[in-house]
Amino acid sequence: MLLNIKNLHVAINGKEILKGLNLSVNKGEVHAIMGPNGTGKSTLAAAITGRENYDITKGEIIYDGETINDMAPDIRANKGIFLSFQYPVEIPGVSMTNFMRTAINAQREFNGLEAIPAGEFLKKMEEMKKLVDINTKLTKRSVNEGFSGGEKKKNEIFQMAMLEPKLAILDETDSGLDIDALKVVARGVNELRSTDNAFVVITHYQRLLDYIVPDFVHVMYDGRIVKSGGKGLAFELEEKGYDWIIDQEDE
Amino acid sequence: MSESKNENILDQVTNEEYKYGFYSDIEMDMAPKGLTEETIRFISAKKNEPDWLLEFRLKAFRYWQKMEEPDWALISHPPIDYQDIIYYAAPKKKKELESLDEVDPELLDTFNKLGISLEEQKMLAGVAVDAVIDSVSVKTTFQDTLAKHDIIFCSFSEAVQNHPDLVKKYLASVVPVTDNYFAALNSAVFSDGSFCYIPKGVRCPIELSTYFRINAANTGQFERTLLIADEGGYVSYLEGCTAPMRDENQLHAAVVEIITMDDAEVKYSTVQNWYPGNKEGKGGIYNFVTKRGLCKGKNSKISWTQVETGSAITWKYPSCVLHGDNSVGEFYSVAVTNNYQQADTGSKMIHQGKNTKSTIISKGISAGKSNNSYRGMVRIGRKAENARNFSQCDSLLLGDQCGAHTFPYIKSANETAVVEHEATTSKISEEQLFYCQQRGIDMEKAIGLIVNGYAKEVLNKLPMEFAMEAQKLLAITLEGSVG
Ligand SMILES: Nc1ncnc2c1ncn2[C@@H]1O[C@H](COP(=O)(O)OP(=O)(O)O)[C@@H](O)[C@H]1O
Ligand SMILES: [Mg+2]
């Protein structure tokens, strides 16, 4: 099992947001997590990636056989956990190229490898830019600075493609994308899908799941996964809305 | 000749210089502690100076005695006992070490992080260096190049002996001895420094930087630099060194003067990394520097670029007097303070001529319990028709125990002038740090990356080879500042 989350409780500033969440993900699987705003989807992503101030008060996150509750975020990243941010941040003055090379070399150093040769790096950049249909100029610009909403999201997928994670979490990568950009994002994911990695796709809309077909769909509500099923569940949600599940829950 | 080969050769020249001692013709000697007219006569005699220079020193000294140490900068330090300082000491020959194994591993670690070559590490740490190639011929190559263009580039003392007319004509023509307390002190007791004269129409074909990077290890406490670019001349000059510099002398008071004639240009870059004191704020250099350039001729240009990471106290305002019509002054600065460091730095742009233009870009970065102030003055004279200034002063804070301050002064006596000032203060955000960490970049590297991005506009102005090192230097300076 690649990811095994057991009875996870997470609090921010003492306020409990995740209230006993369970999730297991095997290699080769794609899991979709859906649910209304404010139910803790991004909080789950933050807890898995080790963001500061997301305090795990109970439970365990086991990744690749190891409990990572207290592991530094950069170590988790170097062990293969990647987050496509819901709101990618701008870093002025740091070119995408420089940022990407720093990240790749950090990962290589972690794995006991030499820094990537310039030629190899540039070749890989070109290849992955094509994959996600990113304009060459974009990688010369500062990280996310002046990028449109769509460009920021594509840039997240580009970074994912460059870093080849084992576990990729996509936090609403589809929101705000037009259909073409959505297809590009989906193509990126599908291209990278293999029996060695897994994806957790957080989304509001069934729409993305037409292009990234999930093996499992989970519905989150109030800090827990309240319903799980196959991809059919997404259609059901689309039809009946969340109220259908929420009503069951609140009873 | 290829770039790297060229650099190698220059390294060799400078290694050579070090090996035999830059001051080898001066007897080893030392003045008694304290500052009196006797001390000054002693210094002047030791240097075999002409009478006019002794008079110059004495005049400065007498003036200095009547002056008060300035107290307007946002710095604090225990009183300096000027009678407890040795004002002249022939440089001690450090004991030469046999190999790098004998060098403080912490120092070597820093060298490695900076990416300084092994040969150079040896040189900087005072390890005996073998001359790989015939150093005499190399030295000749370097000097031949300069000689071919009639460029004068030598120590200040040599210039006094060999080019007294030039020195007499220009010394204190930009920074008068009465200018300020520390300039007066320097004028009285300056030990040595550099002199450079670029003749009419000559573009200096070498960056006078590699030379200085090494030589900086030997610069004294009261350094005096005089740089003249005659009509149409050009030179790019780098002072200092990215490697950490230690000095037993706590007080440093340098003076740098630049003069550009019609159509001449001087680019002056500084990397200052003197010992900043320990984490508790003990020790460290007090660096009180007066740097000023005079754009004397029309269409002339002076650019100051500085990366200030060292010293316990930095007090420094590289300035331009834009006298010639259409002359241009620039100031690009990155000043980093960590732990208990204090920096009060900025620039003055004095517009006198018509259509004069100046730019000030200042990036202050404060961490720990440090204090970092920008202090700038833009003055537009009555005759400075259509003068333009743009100033941008940004402060970046790491943590919440440090301080950043901005003191811009603007005085305009001409209605056609346009003066723009922008200022921002920001913090490294948790979001930016986490974003980097999520990509596998550890906290310290992430801070380095973000800070370098922030300072990029200034770092880009540095000569190539130093820009890279300066980037690493910023990261190293801020190590341990967060988290
Ligand atoms: N940094 C924070 N500080 C305080 N509360 C937060 C913070 N981040 C999220 N929350 C709260 O946690 C809950 C879950 O938010 P989030 O995980 O972003 O939900 P989702 O991604 O499902 O929309 C919301 O009530 C939100 O207000
Ligand atoms: Mg969210």
Side-chain angles (χ1 to χ4, degrees):
Chain A
M1 206 177 295
L2 187 60
L3 179 70
N4 189 7
I5 298 177
K6 295 198 267 192
N7 190 29
L8 184 67
H9 291 253
V10 171
I12 310 170
N13 296 324
K15 185 184 163 210
E16 187 163 71
I17 309 288
L18 297 189
K19 304 172 179 173
L21 182 140
N22 295 289
L23 176 69
S24 27
V25 177
N26 289 302
K27 283 183 180 172
E29 294 175 351
V30 174
H31 292 243
I33 296 183
M34 305 183 75
N37 265 331
T39 51
K41 300 184 297 296
S42 293
T43 304
L44 173 63
I48 298 171
T49 49
R51 189 155 188 165
E52 219 181 318
N53 300 325
Y54 288 75
D55 304 321
I56 299 180
T57 52
K58 218 193 229 177
E60 255 189 308
I61 305 174
I62 302 164
Y63 170 74
D64 221 3
E66 192 179 5
T67 301
I68 59 166
N69 287 23
D70 299 318
M71 191 181 278
D74 49 303
I75 309 286
R76 300 186 200 204
N78 285 326
K79 283 179 182 262
I81 300 178
F82 179 92
L83 172 61
S84 165
F85 284 79
Q86 183 171 4
Y87 305 109
V89 67
E90 297 182 2
I91 310 179
V94 179
S95 73
M96 259 320 289
T97 307
N98 186 18
F99 181 72
M100 214 59 253
R101 185 161 47 205
T102 308
I104 285 203
N105 282 336
Q107 193 187 54
R108 288 174 69 111
E109 192 182 328
F110 183 83
N111 292 320
L113 297 172
E114 296 274 289
I116 189 165
E120 193 182 317
F121 173 72
L122 291 175
K123 209 176 127 212
K124 189 161 184 177
M125 287 272 285
E126 285 314 309
E127 212 175 295
M128 297 311 167
K129 272 191 270 189
K130 268 199 207 107
L131 176 68
V132 295
D133 196 21
I134 270 191
N135 189 318
T136 309
K137 281 190 201 126
L138 227 48
T139 46
K140 295 216 172 87
R141 299 232 299 262
S142 298
V143 178
N144 292 319
E145 202 178 39
F147 286 29
S148 71
E151 283 168 342
K152 281 184 183 167
K153 296 300 178 78
K154 280 193 202 171
N155 189 28
E156 294 293 293
I157 300 303
F158 166 71
Q159 293 175 54
M160 178 179 82
M162 289 294 289
L163 291 166
E164 302 175 62
K166 279 197 265 187
L167 174 67
I169 304 159
L170 276 55
D171 192 356
E172 299 206 21
T173 304
D174 55 331
S175 49
L177 291 189
D178 61 33
I179 195 73
D180 289 332
L182 189 78
K183 281 182 183 164
V184 166
V185 165
R187 185 174 73 208
V189 172
N190 290 327
E191 199 78 22
L192 293 166
R193 266 176 100 155
S194 82
T195 50
D196 270 336
N197 58 26
F199 292 81
V200 173
V201 181
I202 296 170
T203 179
H204 262 321
Y205 311 102
Q206 189 272 327
R207 187 177 71 149
L208 178 68
L209 306 180
D210 288 342
Y211 300 98
I212 304 173
V213 182
D215 302 295
F216 301 94
V217 175
H218 310 277
V219 181
M220 243 184 108
Y221 179 66
D222 194 23
R224 267 181 292 251
I225 287 176
V226 293
K227 196 169 181 68
S228 298
K231 71 175 183 208
L233 183 55
F235 291 109
E236 215 168 331
L237 280 173
E238 184 86 345
E239 231 169 78
K240 301 185 184 169
Y242 289 118
D243 291 348
W244 155 63
I245 290 169
I246 294 166
D247 289 346
Q248 284 182 345
E249 259 306 291
D250 288 346
E251 261 163 30
Chain B
M1 200 183 311
S2 78
E3 195 76 24
S4 70
K5 193 166 172 203
N6 202 16
E7 197 178 320
N8 265 332
I9 288 175
L10 289 174
D11 280 356
Q12 285 301 322
V13 175
T14 44
N15 288 348
E16 168 80 0
E17 215 96 36
Y18 183 84
K19 211 169 159 191
Y20 298 106
F22 197 68
Y23 302 82
S24 57
D25 55 340
I26 303 168
E27 283 171 56
M28 301 293 264
D29 226 329
M30 210 185 246
K33 256 186 194 172
L35 186 51
T36 61
E37 289 208 5
E38 277 317 296
T39 326
I40 288 162
R41 288 179 198 281
F42 177 88
I43 295 171
S44 194
K46 272 289 158 201
K47 295 179 154 294
N48 199 18
E49 286 175 352
D51 287 345
W52 66 264
L53 192 51
L54 172 62
E55 280 312 311
F56 172 89
R57 288 177 181 274
L58 288 172
K59 196 180 119 204
F61 174 63
R62 287 170 196 143
Y63 197 85
W64 176 77
Q65 281 181 304
K66 290 188 229 133
M67 297 174 93
E68 299 266 333
E69 207 181 281
D71 61 359
W72 42 260
L74 199 65
I75 54 173
S76 64
H77 55 84
I80 298 167
D81 183 353
Y82 291 90
Q83 297 305 332
D84 193 37
I85 292 170
I86 294 168
Y87 287 88
Y88 179 84
K92 278 175 243 155
K93 280 224 169 171
K94 284 183 214 149
K95 188 176 120 316
E96 270 207 347
L97 306 175
E98 291 294 318
S99 77
L100 279 177
D101 299 342
E102 296 175 44
V103 178
D104 179 3
E106 204 177 308
L107 188 64
L108 289 184
D109 191 39
T110 310
F111 284 159
N112 285 328
K113 284 180 189 164
L114 284 168
I116 291 172
S117 75
L118 266 185
E119 279 302 293
E120 217 176 328
Q121 290 190 15
K122 286 185 188 167
M123 215 288 311
L124 292 164
V127 175
V129 185
D130 325 309
V132 184
I133 39 175
D134 178 6
S135 47
V136 176
S137 71
V138 170
K139 188 171 174 177
T140 317
T141 310
F142 183 78
Q143 285 174 347
D144 274 356
T145 310
L146 296 178
K148 201 169 80 193
H149 294 89
D150 294 321
I151 292 169
I152 305 170
F153 181 45
C154 59
S155 75
F156 199 90
S157 307
E158 283 172 319
V160 169
Q161 301 303 326
N162 302 332
H163 310 281
D165 295 346
L166 281 173
V167 175
K168 197 172 175 180
K169 182 170 175 191
Y170 291 109
L171 179 65
S173 69
V174 188
V175 180
V177 295
T178 55
D179 189 80
N180 69 72
Y181 189 79
F182 297 105
L185 177 64
N186 175 286
S187 301
V189 302
F190 66 84
S191 31
D192 212 329
S194 310
F195 178 86
C196 180
Y197 175 80
I198 309 289
K200 276 185 193 173
V202 171
R203 293 185 62 85
C204 183
I206 1 180
E207 293 231 346
L208 296 183
S209 56
T210 314
Y211 184 90
F212 267 94
R213 158 203 182 89
I214 310 295
N215 220 41
N218 289 337
T219 55
Q221 190 178 2
F222 300 102
E223 203 183 343
R224 188 90 197 191
T225 301
L226 184 52
L227 237 151
I228 303 134
D230 216 326
E231 284 172 32
Y234 166 84
V235 66
S236 165
Y237 187 100
L238 191 131
E239 165 211 297
C241 183
T242 49
M245 287 291 156
R246 286 184 181 253
D247 191 314
E248 289 155 26
N249 304 305
Q250 186 164 42
L251 177 66
H252 280 227
V255 172
V256 176
E257 297 177 274
I258 302 176
I259 297 116
T260 49
M261 303 306 188
D262 288 357
D263 304 305
E265 179 178 353
V266 173
K267 275 178 78 169
Y268 193 104
S269 314
T270 307
V271 175
Q272 186 266 116
N273 191 20
W274 292 103
Y275 181 53
N278 69 10
K279 289 199 167 63
E280 282 74 48
K282 285 243 156 52
I285 301 287
Y286 295 177
N287 200 23
F288 296 93
V289 183
T290 306
K291 290 184 166 176
R292 194 173 306 152
L294 171 62
C295 284
K296 195 167 183 181
K298 59 181 188 328
N299 309 319
S300 65
K301 180 175 175 183
I302 294 176
S303 300
W304 299 100
T305 304
Q306 61 172 26
V307 175
E308 303 281 324
T309 55
S311 295
I313 293 177
T314 300
W315 181 100
K316 185 182 202 180
Y317 316 91
S319 304
C320 298
V321 179
L322 303 173
H323 181 79
D325 290 346
N326 313 319
S327 59
V328 176
E330 294 175 340
F331 173 73
Y332 299 99
S333 169
V334 178
V336 188
T337 52
N338 197 0
N339 300 317
Y340 285 89
Q341 281 178 280
Q342 311 173 59
D344 194 298
T345 183
S347 181
K348 275 192 278 189
M349 293 292 174
I350 313 293
H351 292 253
Q352 296 176 342
K354 293 191 187 77
N355 305 316
T356 46
K357 248 169 71 180
S358 66
T359 305
I360 294 175
I361 307 284
S362 162
K363 305 269 180 181
I365 299 157
S366 9
K369 297 190 161 72
S370 69
N371 253 310
N372 201 325
S373 304
Y374 166 81
R375 190 180 301 277
M377 143 111 40
V378 176
R379 203 162 73 205
I380 313 281
R382 213 164 26 83
K383 293 179 186 159
E385 292 286 314
N386 295 316
R388 294 280 179 277
N389 163 267
F390 175 74
S391 303
Q392 186 180 323
C393 309
D394 298 328
S395 310
L396 184 68
L397 298 165
L398 281 76
D400 46 21
Q401 298 188 61
C402 49
H405 317 272
T406 308
F407 305 100
Y409 306 95
I410 298 169
K411 283 186 197 161
S412 180
N414 189 305
E415 283 181 354
T416 62
V418 179
V419 178
E420 287 175 86
H421 179 88
E422 288 175 9
T424 66
T425 301
S426 49
K427 288 193 166 204
I428 286 195
S429 72
E430 186 270 333
E431 274 110 342
Q432 287 173 330
L433 282 176
F434 182 66
Y435 193 80
C436 295
Q437 287 177 291
Q438 212 305 301
R439 300 306 186 239
I441 302 165
D442 68 37
M443 176 82 100
E444 286 196 336
K445 278 210 193 84
I447 291 171
L449 198 67
I450 295 166
V451 164
N452 273 301
Y454 168 79
K456 191 176 186 177
E457 206 179 339
V458 173
L459 296 176
N460 278 348
K461 300 285 171 186
L462 286 176
M464 244 317 251
E465 71 229 70
F466 287 95
M468 303 283 285
E469 278 182 26
Q471 278 183 26
K472 293 180 192 157
L473 182 60
L474 290 193
I476 291 170
T477 306
L478 291 169
E479 266 178 14
S481 60
V482 172

